[in-house]
């Protein structure tokens, strides 16, 4: 490859014995590397903010870190587009009123099979970290009671 250009279809660039595959720019598609990746600087996905709702199905193609300000009782359904081995984060923030609760789908596995009792104080937040053990099992931990201002 000795020039910049536009890829009009799926392409693989070979450097020595290593391939860099450009598959698609469509959400949920992948760029695959066959070796370790080193990044000088940051690597991140933008924070996805979800409007409060009574029922939410996280879509991980929208980003690995998602946040919702709770304005009422919410059910967090099993997510879509889980990638086994990925790490995801959900930030749940109480509104100025607080007291809102959350129930979880069966894919969310907390230690001792017991979801945390979330912080219910006004403007407080909790962070739930999820590791995709399989496409149906998310191993979850929580860190609770963050101040948001």
């Amino acid at each position: 490859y000795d020039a910049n250009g536009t890829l009009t279809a799926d392409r693989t660039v070979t450097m020595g014995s290593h391939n860099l595959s450009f598959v698609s720019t469509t959400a949920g598609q992948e760029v695959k590397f066959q070796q370790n990746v080193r990044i000088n600087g940051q690597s991140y996905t933008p924070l996805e903010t979800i409007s409060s709702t009574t029922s939410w199905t996280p879509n991980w193609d929208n980003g690995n870190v998602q946040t919702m300000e709770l304005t009422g009782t919410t059910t967090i359904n099993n997510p879509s587009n889980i990638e086994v081995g990925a790490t995801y984060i959900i930030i749940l923030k109480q509104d100025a009123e607080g007291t809102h609760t959350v129930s979880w789908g069966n894919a969310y596995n907390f230690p001792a099979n017991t979801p945390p009792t979330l912080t219910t104080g006004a403007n407080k937040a909790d962070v739930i970290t999820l590791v995709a053990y399989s496409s149906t099992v998310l191993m979850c931990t929580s860190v609770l009671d963050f101040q948001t201002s």
Side-chain angles (χ1 to χ4, degrees):
Y1 240 54
D2 58 2
N4 292 327
T6 301
L7 300 178
T8 57
D10 295 350
R11 297 285 190 260
T12 299
V13 177
T14 302
M15 294 172 31
S17 61
H18 307 290
N19 292 331
L20 172 59
S21 297
F22 296 89
V23 179
S24 174
T25 58
T26 305
Q29 297 298 312
E30 300 176 342
V31 174
K32 296 179 181 180
F33 299 91
Q34 292 180 325
Q35 294 293 319
N36 297 336
V37 176
R38 176 182 168 173
I39 299 171
N40 292 335
Q42 297 183 49
S43 174
Y44 66 95
T45 60
L47 180 63
E48 175 75 8
T49 301
I50 306 303
S51 298
S52 187
T53 180
T54 58
S55 179
W56 173 43
T57 302
N59 178 349
W60 295 121
D61 279 352
N62 292 334
N64 289 48
V65 182
Q66 299 187 22
T67 186
M68 175 190 286
E69 181 171 312
L70 301 171
T71 60
T73 299
T74 300
T75 297
I76 300 178
N77 302 310
N78 293 338
S80 61
N81 300 308
I82 295 172
E83 292 291 340
V84 175
T87 301
Y88 304 110
I89 297 173
I90 295 175
I91 302 168
L92 298 170
K93 179 188 176 292
Q94 296 284 341
D95 64 8
E97 179 184 308
T99 73
H100 309 299
T101 60
V102 168
S103 59
W104 300 90
N106 63 4
Y108 302 94
N109 289 268
F110 291 92
N113 203 30
T114 305
T117 301
L118 298 177
T119 305
T120 56
N123 297 311
K124 294 285 190 124
D126 300 317
V127 176
I128 310 299
T129 302
L130 311 94
V131 175
Y133 181 76
S134 73
S135 63
T136 59
V137 174
L138 296 166
M139 295 178 172
C140 307
T141 61
S142 60
V143 181
L144 309 175
D145 201 21
F146 284 93
Q147 189 65 38
T148 60
S149 58

